[in-house]
Amino acid sequence: MFNSLSDRLTATFKNLRGKGRLSEADIDATVREIRRALLDADVAVSVVRAFTASVKERALGLEVSQALNPGQQIVKIVNEELVGILGGETRRIRLAKNPPTVIMLAGLQGAGKTTLAGKLATWLKGQGHSPLLVACDLQRPNAVRQLQVNGERAGVPVFAPHPGVSSEFESATGDPVAVARQGVAEARTRLHDVVIVDTAGRLGVDAELMQQAADIRAAIDPDEVLFVIDAMIGQDAVTTALAFSEGVDFTGVVLTKLDGDARGGAALSVASVTGKPVMFASTGEGLKDFELFHPDRMASRILD
Ligand code: GDP
């Protein structure tokens, strides 16, 4: 991901090397190249516009620096703007003062929520937590079973609604809101300190799905609501992210499928238009293909 964007920006900045002072024309040409590179990487137009305006304003206001030449100063500005868009500092899960910490997952179908639930559980377990997975995706026939399989792989129990499906717990209802509430109560009783609630997704944003997610959110008052988005989604990222931001007021973003050939634009667009930090990156189908997202490292990788 970001390889092509990275190459383009590096080439642009190379042109500035050796220049003693940048003219307005130099800055304009550079900003134009940055704009093209971002658009080609699938970053949303509104985001590109705001980004380049900010870079240009700061570049025009540059003081002559002893330590950095103008080219380096622009790279520094672009780096800082990228880090800012991606959420600034590395954002870790906020743990509840009174456990369990409740983490809700939301996003479109196929975004990678159920897979992420297993990864997150594995990761948290590795840090000494005792997670419980809760299956509230009752929309897709196989979703509960899939979460169970992921739970088994992760060695983490799953609270599931359907009697008859092998589960350590059983509950009699098919109402996702009730299942979420019961799951959290079950975690409290059984002394799990983290609960991860998987919710249903549709192929496109729809009002019923959003209402269901909002109802679950209201019922369980999560410490984190993670919006899971496929990095390959490209320009659709913005509308989807805004709909979920309004619908469930998520607290952080998880980018999935970063192992694919996504051009990376979705990452920048989603974080920028919602103002929410990217918290995790998912990079494959395996339970361990998952990492904490560091905005500064990602920006440096782009500008490497
Ligand atoms: P959900 O509908 O949001 O729960 O999505 P799933 O977790 O079922 O994932 C949809 C598909 O994407 C599955 O085939 C997953 O194996 C796959 N998947 C999920 N995350 C990743 C990832 O980071 N990389 C790749 N390559 N595939 C992923």
Side-chain angles (χ1 to χ4, degrees):
M1 192 178 81
F2 284 129
N3 290 344
S4 136
L5 175 63
S6 180
D7 292 347
R8 293 273 298 274
L9 291 178
T10 312
T12 304
F13 297 137
K14 218 180 241 168
N15 295 335
L16 298 176
R17 262 196 220 148
K19 293 212 186 232
R21 199 183 165 84
L22 296 185
S23 64
E24 193 165 343
D26 289 331
I27 291 173
D28 276 341
T30 305
V31 167
R32 209 175 309 123
E33 277 306 309
I34 296 173
R35 178 181 302 130
R36 281 202 203 114
L38 290 171
L39 288 172
D40 285 348
D42 258 353
V43 182
V45 176
S46 61
V47 175
V48 174
R49 208 173 285 139
F51 187 92
T52 48
S54 180
V55 169
K56 182 170 175 185
E57 190 187 321
R58 289 183 62 187
L60 287 172
L62 276 179
E63 301 285 335
V64 176
S65 157
Q66 299 289 322
L68 299 175
N69 66 40
Q72 290 168 323
Q73 283 180 296
I74 292 208
V75 174
K76 185 163 173 282
I77 291 172
V78 172
N79 182 295
E80 286 167 4
E81 294 287 325
L82 284 173
V83 172
I85 279 189
L86 291 168
E89 308 232 314
T90 305
R91 217 324 228 111
R92 288 158 205 279
I93 295 266
R94 281 183 300 227
L95 295 172
K97 283 203 190 78
N98 297 316
T101 297
V102 179
I103 303 170
M104 172 177 163
L105 309 182
L108 294 181
Q109 184 176 316
K113 288 181 298 302
T114 308
T115 310
L116 175 77
K119 293 177 176 189
L120 199 52
T122 305
W123 186 76
L124 287 164
K125 206 176 149 194
Q127 298 187 351
H129 293 286
S130 165
L132 174 68
L133 291 164
V134 178
C136 294
D137 182 354
L138 312 184
Q139 219 75 36
R140 202 154 51 89
N142 213 20
V144 173
R145 183 67 207 134
Q146 196 189 333
L147 190 68
Q148 303 238 327
V149 170
N150 286 347
E152 272 161 34
R153 275 206 248 145
V156 169
V158 177
F159 180 85
H162 297 315
V165 181
S166 72
S167 166
E168 200 178 313
F169 310 104
E170 241 176 53
S171 120
T173 164
D175 168 11
V177 178
V179 172
R181 206 183 279 125
Q182 285 177 20
V184 174
E186 195 75 41
R188 196 164 283 126
T189 315
R190 295 183 180 245
L191 302 180
H192 289 283
D193 64 341
V194 185
V195 195
I196 301 165
V197 180
D198 189 19
T199 65
R202 305 275 162 80
L203 287 173
V205 175
D206 83 43
E208 201 187 323
L209 152 81
M210 209 52 89
Q211 190 56 49
Q212 185 186 92
D215 290 346
I216 292 176
R217 193 193 203 297
I220 60 175
D221 189 22
D223 299 283
E224 298 282 6
V225 180
L226 302 183
F227 170 57
V228 184
I229 183 159
D230 180 342
M232 312 276 279
I233 190 170
Q235 291 286 347
D236 284 343
V238 168
T239 22
T240 311
L242 287 175
F244 275 90
S245 180
E246 195 179 313
V248 293
D249 189 21
F250 56 82
T251 58
V253 178
V254 181
L255 293 166
T256 63
K257 311 194 191 179
L258 292 187
D259 50 314
D261 59 358
R263 286 175 282 183
L268 295 172
S269 303
V270 168
S272 175
V273 297
T274 65
K276 302 286 166 59
V278 180
M279 291 174 63
F280 295 101
S282 181
T283 53
E285 293 185 89
L287 280 181
K288 299 237 156 117
D289 300 329
F290 170 76
E291 58 197 47
L292 197 59
F293 189 88
H294 301 285
D296 53 346
R297 285 189 213 164
M298 182 53 91
S300 302
R301 212 183 299 165
I302 295 173
L303 296 175
D304 202 6

